[in-house]
């Protein structure tokens, strides 16, 4: 590759998160696509008048929210309330943004609240009033969708990341006297006693971390790093019960009761041998699909904590790699790039590159069965792999050898959302000028084996979304930073022989910083390390 | 920090019948519970082979009976073929250290299986070696007919496992399996930013509640008053627990053992420190609302 090529290499920032909002009456809904591109959130009409009230190719609306300054925090999570009235976005500065969605799809920001740790999962509960938010540190909080007091909004962000200068420095008399927890009865060694003495003589202590200034409650927590959290409901004895299902890096899937009894753990779905990164509850069933670093996808009956079967996702992935050449040069390149470098320490030999499963997405989507009726399937993505894997929901439980169908894409998929029967797939085609950023498919049952799925292009929908492609012309970005934003799953894998947390989750300063603990310097440092 | 090879050599030199010496097993008193630690743990409690830990309690399957029942087994690939054990572990000493509590408690409840859980490798090894030596000594005493040397249970009912219980408690125990959990002299983690590393927290209490049966108890003891207050706050603030009244606490044999027989308890005694005890009872889960 010559210099010219490097300079002129096309680069488009992909949409890292997409979601849909349905507005209007049920008979004539307007569907808007929300798409997050770096720090920006776009709202575009996906389709109009599904019932034949054709007004031609009406130009899609486009709105921009949030600033596009280069330093703006990127959006990492995006969700919509079940009643379609609000959208919630999380940015990588740990702030939860709540937007109202107008009838025309327009977004208006209502509140910003900074969480103590980086959120990794967010959902609006069916009551349309509560947000549950899981963070990487392992805790799951609930907070009201709309902050109760109007003043809360303004204060909320300041609460957790208050710059020291803005805070009036309390005079010495005002500050409660600091008393070390240790005494000369609890510490004995020479060094510790010296540290204790230093503490007792110390006069100035940095302020304790400000508590969050908005209403929130801790529902449950893991000591392990949390990777996903979903709220599920189930009707038992005629009454609906809520559950929170959480997954962590230490192979656990935990099922707790929903609020207000979230302190009760009902059970665990144990069987994964590697980290669990994604959960997908299948609506209207008791099925849960989970995936992570294992070579298989797990299907559970979650109310009974019972493993029903596993799907060989690694096998499907190798099929996809073999099939990549039919999907063009970019797919072959992406499949090659998906290899992970295994350090020599892992297997005793020399370092090698190989493909590994790192489940980065599980979604449900509609497809047309053999009779043309709409059914549901599960779509699976493994990080950086330019493919989607599909299996119909009604075959998840079958013990027979139903396999996953693989569909090779031109680029790695980042997010999936369904609008009507169209399945929108956001692709990381930063280096490809021609390909669409959002590829739209219509899925249907394949002719060969039962359970096989065909991915047909949905040209009509792609045309409607073409304005989203134009938005992309502007802006420069750093490839490495974009990788960090889009691809974090592979780093969850544990490395043998390393006694340090691979992903920051410990207590060293560097880890804390990487974890995003703000104002390390502001934390109480008064107490000696005894 | 691995001990010098000499230390390890000394450990191996001792005959089986002789008790291990603590000085060869000393290890820094802190471990980061968030690290991966290259731990070995079962995927789920059913996978755990307890018969290695409590060989005297191994269930013998009559000759000619196949190990697996073809009709009742599920047809996914994990079959748990471990020799079954006649009863489950019921008492867990989390952070058992050198096992003082376990060795004192085992003869007092010989029909119950006790398990020490310790994150430090060398210390775990010490407890295992000590249990092994004691069992052999008891065997010899029993064979030689030295009745006065025999203790109830002959230390067959205690064992120790290297584990990070803050992460892997549900991998070891099923719902409601335990009747007692001991948290003796836990690492106080003085710094406020390290409080999540404490062995007692609102979130972890839910896991203790999960593995404890209703009516089961958590015993805590510490010489750090702030930590005592913290632990009491966290358990009293958790809907799954209630504090046990003073009279019942003082009447509990386990509390006496915990005060007097734990290694740390003795050390605090020597240094003239204070000991703060609190016991909490697991209450039944509330009805669904």
């Amino acid at each position: 590759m010559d210099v010219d090529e490097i300079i002129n290499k096309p680069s488009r920032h992909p949409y890292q998160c997409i979601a849909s909002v349905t507005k209007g009456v049920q008979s004539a809904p307007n569907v808007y696509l929300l798409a997050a591109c770096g720090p920006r959130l776009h709202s575009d009409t996906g389709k109009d008048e599904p019932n034949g009230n054709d007004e031609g190719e009406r130009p899609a609306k486009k709105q921009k929210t949030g600033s596009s300054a280069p330093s703006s925090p990127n959006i990492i999570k995006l969700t919509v309330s079940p009643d379609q009235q609000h959208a919630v976005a999380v940015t990588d500065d740990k702030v939860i943004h709540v937007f109202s969605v107008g009838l025309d799809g327009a977004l208006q920001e209502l509140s910003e609240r900074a969480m103590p740790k980086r959120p990794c999962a967010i959902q609006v509960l069916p009551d349309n009033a509560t947000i549950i938010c899981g963070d990487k540190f392992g805790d799951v909080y609930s907070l009201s969708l709309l902050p109760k007091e109007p003043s809360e909004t303004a204060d909320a962000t300041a609460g957790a990341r208050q710059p020291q200068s803005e805070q009036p420095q309390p005079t010495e008399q005002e500050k409660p006297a600091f008393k070390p927890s240790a005494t000369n009865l609890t510490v004995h060694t020479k060094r510790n006693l010296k540290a204790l003495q230093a503490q007792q003589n110390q006069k100035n202590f940095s302020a304790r971390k400000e508590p969050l200034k908005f209403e929130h409650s801790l529902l449950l927590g893991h000591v392990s790093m949390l990777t996903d959290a979903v709220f599920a409901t189930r009707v038992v004895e005629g009454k609906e019960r809520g559950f929170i299902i959480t997954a962590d890096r230490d192979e656990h899937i935990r099922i707790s009761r929903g609020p207000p009894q979230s302190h009760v753990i009902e059970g665990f779905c144990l069987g994964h041998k590697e980290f669990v990164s994604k959960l997908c509850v299948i609506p209207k069933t008791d099925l849960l699909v989970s995936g992570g670093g294992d070579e298989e996808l797990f299907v559970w009956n979650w109310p009974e904590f019972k493993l029903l079967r596993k799907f060989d996702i690694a096998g499907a992935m190798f099929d996809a790699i073999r099939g990549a050449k039919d999907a063009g040069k970019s797919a072959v390149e992406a499949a090659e790039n998906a290899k992970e470098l295994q350090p020599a320490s892992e297997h005793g030999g020399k370092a090698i590159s190989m493909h590994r499963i790192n489940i980065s997405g599980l979604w449900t989507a509609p497809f047309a069965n053999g009779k043309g009726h709409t059914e549901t399937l599960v779509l699976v993505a493994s990080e950086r792999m330019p493919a989607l894997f599909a299996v119909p929901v009604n075959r998840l439980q079958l013990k027979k050898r139903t396999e996953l169908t693989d569909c090779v894409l031109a680029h790695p998929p980042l997010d999936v959302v369904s609008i009507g029967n169209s399945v929108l797939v956001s692709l990381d085609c930063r280096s490809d000028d021609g390909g669409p950023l959002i590829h739209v498919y219509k899925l249907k049952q394949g002719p060969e084996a039962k359970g096989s799925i065909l991915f047909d292009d949905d040209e009509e929908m792609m045309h409607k979304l073409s304005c989203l492609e134009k938005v992309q012309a502007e802006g420069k970005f750093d490839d490495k930073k974009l990788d960090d934003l889009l691809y974090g799953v592979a780093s969850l894998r544990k490395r043998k022989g390393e006694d340090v947390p691979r992903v920051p989750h410990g207590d060293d300063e560097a880890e804390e910083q990487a974890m995003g603990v703000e104002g390390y310097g502001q934390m109480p440092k008064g107490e000696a390390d005894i | 920090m691995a001990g010098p090879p000499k230390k390890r050599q000394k450990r191996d030199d001792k005959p089986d019948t002789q008790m291990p010496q603590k000085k060869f097993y000393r290890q820094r008193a802190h471990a980061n519970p968030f690290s991966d630690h290259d731990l070995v743990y079962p995927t789920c409690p059913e996978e755990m082979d307890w018969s290695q830990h409590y060989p005297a309690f191994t269930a013998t399957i009559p000759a000619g009976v196949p190990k697996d029942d073809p009709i009742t087994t599920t047809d996914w690939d994990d079959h748990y073929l471990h020799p079954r054990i006649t009863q489950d572990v019921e008492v867990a000493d989390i952070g058992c250290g050198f096992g003082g509590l376990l060795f004192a408690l085992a003869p007092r409840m010989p029909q119950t299986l006790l398990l020490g859980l310790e994150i430090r490798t060398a210390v775990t090894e010490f407890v295992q070696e000590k249990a092994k030596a004691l069992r052999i000594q008891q065997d010899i005493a029993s064979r030689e007919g030295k009745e006065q040397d025999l203790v109830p249970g002959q230390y067959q009912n205690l064992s120790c496992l290297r584990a990070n219980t803050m992460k892997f408690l549900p991998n070891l125990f099923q719902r409601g399996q335990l009747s007692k959990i001991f948290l003796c002299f836990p690492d106080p983690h003085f710094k406020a930013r390290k409080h999540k590393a404490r062995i007692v927290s609102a979130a972890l209490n839910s896991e203790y509640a999960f593995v404890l049966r209703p009516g089961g108890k958590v015993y805590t003891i510490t010489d750090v008053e702030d930590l005592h207050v913290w632990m009491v706050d966290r358990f009293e603030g958790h809907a799954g627990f209630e504090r046990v009244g003073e009279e019942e606490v003082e009447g509990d044999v386990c509390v006496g053992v915990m005060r007097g027989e734990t290694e740390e308890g003795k050390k605090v005694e020597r240094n003239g420190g204070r000991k703060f005890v609190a016991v909490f009872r697991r209450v039944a889960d509330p009805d669904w609302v």
Side-chain angles (χ1 to χ4, degrees):
Chain A
M1 188 184 278
D2 61 36
V3 183
D4 255 18
E5 246 181 292
I6 296 169
I7 292 167
N8 296 322
K9 204 172 85 172
S11 60
R12 294 184 304 162
H13 196 297
Y15 291 105
Q16 69 268 28
C17 305
I18 51 178
S20 75
V21 187
T22 311
K23 300 300 270 188
V25 287
Q26 209 170 13
S27 56
N30 286 321
V31 183
Y32 301 93
L33 180 69
L34 305 182
C37 172
R40 296 186 308 260
L41 184 59
H42 303 278
S43 162
D44 286 71
T45 47
K47 97 178 159 189
D48 323 285
E49 296 80 35
N51 48 359
N53 189 4
D54 197 359
E55 289 186 31
E57 296 301 323
R58 200 207 286 172
K61 286 199 192 76
K62 183 181 80 191
Q63 267 119 18
K64 258 199 240 179
T65 313
S67 77
S68 51
S71 61
S72 298
N74 288 313
I75 293 166
I76 51 173
K77 288 280 159 195
L78 181 62
T79 187
V80 173
S81 66
D83 66 1
Q84 311 289 304
Q85 297 298 313
H86 295 94
V88 183
V90 181
T91 43
D92 57 7
D93 57 351
K94 295 175 279 181
V95 175
I96 296 178
H97 306 255
V98 176
F99 301 89
S100 68
V101 188
L103 271 175
D104 57 351
L107 297 172
Q108 196 192 351
E109 186 162 353
L110 301 178
S111 70
E112 287 187 3
R113 283 169 283 182
M115 298 303 287
K117 305 282 175 192
R118 185 186 166 105
C120 63
I122 194 147
Q123 190 174 349
V124 182
L125 299 192
D127 67 0
N128 292 303
T130 314
I131 297 174
I132 59 163
C133 170
D135 68 37
K136 285 180 94 177
F137 214 49
D139 295 323
V140 179
Y141 291 93
S142 75
L143 45 162
S144 58
L145 180 67
L146 306 169
K148 298 243 165 65
E149 290 152 40
S151 64
E152 230 175 5
T153 319
D155 276 0
T157 25
R161 51 172 180 188
Q162 195 148 36
Q164 199 100 81
S165 56
E166 275 180 26
Q167 210 177 6
Q169 286 294 322
T171 56
E172 217 142 283
Q173 286 88 343
E174 282 178 318
K175 275 205 282 184
F178 172 78
K179 196 174 148 278
S181 306
T183 68
N184 53 5
L185 292 177
T186 51
V187 294
H188 311 291
T189 65
K190 214 163 127 192
R191 223 178 99 193
N192 284 347
L193 282 170
K194 213 169 150 189
L196 176 63
Q197 206 174 15
Q199 270 184 33
Q200 284 164 337
N201 296 335
Q202 201 176 340
K203 291 217 169 62
N204 294 316
F205 292 98
S206 44
R208 301 229 161 219
K209 192 165 182 172
E210 287 279 305
L212 296 184
K213 283 194 181 160
F214 51 87
E215 205 187 302
H216 66 286
S217 52
L218 176 68
L219 298 181
L220 59 100
H222 291 224
V223 169
S224 309
M225 178 187 282
L226 198 79
T227 51
D228 204 1
V230 292
F231 184 83
T233 56
R234 213 175 156 256
V235 176
V236 183
E237 291 158 7
K239 278 183 84 178
E240 190 167 85
R241 292 178 178 180
F243 297 85
I244 298 173
I245 309 179
T246 43
D248 71 33
R249 181 172 165 261
D250 290 305
E251 308 97 30
H252 302 113
I253 298 171
R254 185 198 286 184
I255 294 156
S256 308
R257 292 190 189 178
Q261 294 182 345
S262 54
H263 66 278
V264 179
I265 298 174
E266 287 289 324
F268 290 84
C269 292
L270 300 176
H272 278 279
K273 306 264 190 209
E274 297 283 351
F275 66 87
V276 185
S277 50
K278 285 286 168 209
L279 299 173
C280 181
V281 173
I282 312 296
K284 298 182 197 120
T285 69
D286 285 339
L287 300 178
L288 169 74
V289 180
S290 63
D294 281 309
E295 297 197 333
E296 287 153 318
L297 217 56
F298 286 54
V299 181
W300 308 88
N301 174 325
W302 64 264
E304 289 177 23
F305 324 111
K306 207 174 123 198
L307 180 63
L308 298 175
R309 72 160 283 186
K310 302 187 219 175
F311 279 87
D312 178 14
I313 182 89
M317 180 181 70
F318 287 111
D319 283 347
I321 295 166
R322 276 191 292 274
K325 57 182 184 298
D326 301 329
K329 193 169 147 245
S330 67
V332 176
E333 273 172 22
E336 187 59 29
N337 287 340
K339 281 185 180 174
E340 270 180 78
L341 186 71
Q342 304 305 317
S345 65
E346 277 284 89
H347 42 79
K350 56 181 186 201
I352 47 161
S353 282
M354 62 184 280
H355 285 104
R356 278 202 162 163
I357 294 291
N358 298 296
I359 300 299
S360 55
L362 293 170
W363 304 271
T364 54
F367 78 104
N369 69 10
K371 291 178 185 129
H373 299 302
T374 303
E375 285 186 48
T376 307
L377 53 69
V378 176
L379 287 175
V380 189
S382 180
E383 195 164 88
R384 291 178 193 265
M385 183 53 59
L388 278 174
F389 307 93
V391 59
V393 161
N394 61 10
R395 305 189 75 84
L396 280 174
Q397 290 191 71
L398 292 187
K399 304 282 183 204
K400 279 186 240 156
R401 296 193 60 82
T402 302
E403 298 304 334
L404 295 159
T405 306
D406 61 276
C407 169
V408 182
L409 313 176
H411 301 281
L414 300 172
D415 203 358
V416 171
V417 73
S418 322
I419 294 181
N421 286 326
S422 303
V423 177
L424 285 65
V425 183
S426 164
L427 299 172
D428 177 9
C429 50
R430 61 180 99 168
S431 55
D432 179 359
D433 222 3
L437 287 159
I438 294 182
H439 201 116
V440 190
Y441 297 94
K442 278 223 158 68
L443 310 183
K444 66 179 190 205
Q445 188 176 310
E448 319 113 45
K450 269 189 183 174
S452 73
I453 301 295
L454 282 181
F455 287 65
D456 290 340
D457 286 354
D458 184 346
E459 301 284 356
E460 195 188 338
M461 183 65 108
M462 277 211 265
H463 186 75
K464 282 179 180 163
L465 291 171
S466 55
C467 67
L468 274 173
E469 309 291 329
K470 292 184 195 110
V471 174
Q472 288 301 318
E474 52 187 290
K476 286 234 174 270
F477 54 86
D478 183 334
D479 253 358
K480 173 76 177 61
K481 283 201 179 121
L482 186 57
D483 278 349
D484 291 344
L485 171 66
L486 303 178
Y487 305 119
V489 181
S491 65
L492 293 172
R493 195 177 297 273
K494 292 177 189 174
R495 295 281 152 98
K496 286 188 195 102
E498 265 181 53
D499 219 14
V500 258
R502 278 277 306 148
V503 191
H505 195 298
D507 57 358
D508 291 330
E509 191 166 340
E511 287 160 14
E512 290 264 16
Q513 276 168 351
M515 190 77 163
V517 176
E518 282 156 87
Y520 181 80
Q522 295 171 35
M523 307 286 280
K525 272 191 157 173
E527 309 206 16
D529 200 356
I530 295 169
Chain B
M1 199 175 13
K6 219 174 163 187
K7 219 163 154 182
R8 196 144 291 161
Q9 187 62 45
K10 287 254 173 66
R11 287 184 203 169
D12 296 341
D13 282 349
K14 89 171 176 60
D16 278 353
T17 49
Q18 206 179 318
M19 300 272 269
Q21 284 182 277
K22 257 189 229 173
K23 62 182 176 188
F24 300 133
Y25 294 88
R26 295 264 178 228
Q27 200 176 349
R28 188 175 175 267
H30 310 276
N32 178 359
F34 303 115
S35 291
D36 291 340
H37 288 299
D38 275 338
L39 288 167
V40 179
Y41 48 88
T43 307
C44 55
E46 294 82 5
E47 205 183 69
M48 190 66 204
D49 181 7
W50 292 111
S51 62
Q52 288 176 11
H53 287 271
Y54 307 97
F57 290 83
T58 308
T60 45
I61 296 169
V65 175
K67 278 184 179 170
D68 240 3
D69 222 338
I71 290 171
T72 54
T73 22
T74 51
D75 47 351
W76 56 285
D77 53 355
D78 293 63
H79 297 269
Y80 303 110
L81 296 171
H82 298 300
R84 283 171 197 278
I85 194 151
T86 51
Q87 62 191 82
D88 288 330
V89 174
E90 260 185 59
V91 175
D93 182 3
I94 296 177
C96 68
F98 288 98
L101 178 83
L102 291 169
F103 292 109
L105 221 46
R108 288 177 166 91
M109 39 198 324
Q111 291 174 5
T112 310
L113 297 189
L114 283 62
L115 183 71
L117 296 147
E118 174 56 52
I119 198 165
R120 291 169 292 164
T121 339
V123 180
T124 310
E125 209 182 304
F126 172 87
V127 180
Q128 288 166 344
E129 286 299 313
K130 187 171 168 181
K132 204 162 102 188
L134 284 171
R135 284 176 186 174
I136 293 171
Q137 287 177 4
Q138 290 282 307
D139 258 3
I140 294 169
S142 137
R143 254 183 282 132
E144 292 173 354
K146 291 182 184 158
E147 292 284 331
Q148 71 281 5
D149 289 346
L150 289 179
V151 301
Q154 302 184 8
Y155 300 108
Q156 292 290 348
N157 60 325
L158 87 89
S159 188
C160 184
L161 196 69
R162 185 191 183 212
N164 179 355
T165 58
M166 291 175 69
K167 285 182 171 184
F168 300 108
L169 204 57
N171 294 60
L172 295 168
F173 307 117
Q174 278 160 337
R175 182 181 197 163
Q177 181 179 334
L178 301 182
S179 62
K180 293 180 200 302
I181 291 177
F182 289 90
L183 304 169
C184 302
F185 300 99
D187 192 334
H189 289 287
F190 288 121
K191 286 179 179 176
R193 73 182 186 91
K194 298 263 182 97
H195 282 177
K196 205 187 150 102
R198 285 184 166 172
I199 199 87
V200 171
S201 66
L204 273 174
N205 289 358
S206 291
E207 292 204 5
Y208 299 139
F210 177 74
V211 295
L212 273 176
R213 69 189 60 152
K217 287 179 189 170
V218 175
Y219 294 77
T220 68
I221 185 167
T222 176
D223 58 331
V224 179
E225 190 169 9
D226 279 9
L227 179 64
H228 170 69
V229 172
W230 160 283
M231 293 196 291
V232 170
D233 278 356
R234 293 304 175 285
F235 274 110
E236 284 186 336
H238 194 283
F241 290 95
E242 63 180 17
R243 190 163 178 185
V244 174
E246 205 176 323
E247 208 176 315
E248 193 182 332
V249 170
E250 292 311 317
D252 196 324
V253 181
C254 297
V255 171
V257 174
M258 186 166 74
R259 273 211 188 99
E261 306 276 355
T262 53
E263 313 283 328
E264 276 296 315
K266 288 178 193 163
K267 185 177 147 194
V268 172
E269 198 85 54
R270 283 199 301 276
N271 291 313
R274 295 166 67 194
K275 296 178 210 169
F276 302 92
V277 172
V279 182
F280 307 91
R281 187 181 292 108
R282 162 83 155 99
V283 296
D285 287 335
D287 290 334
W288 279 86
V289 286

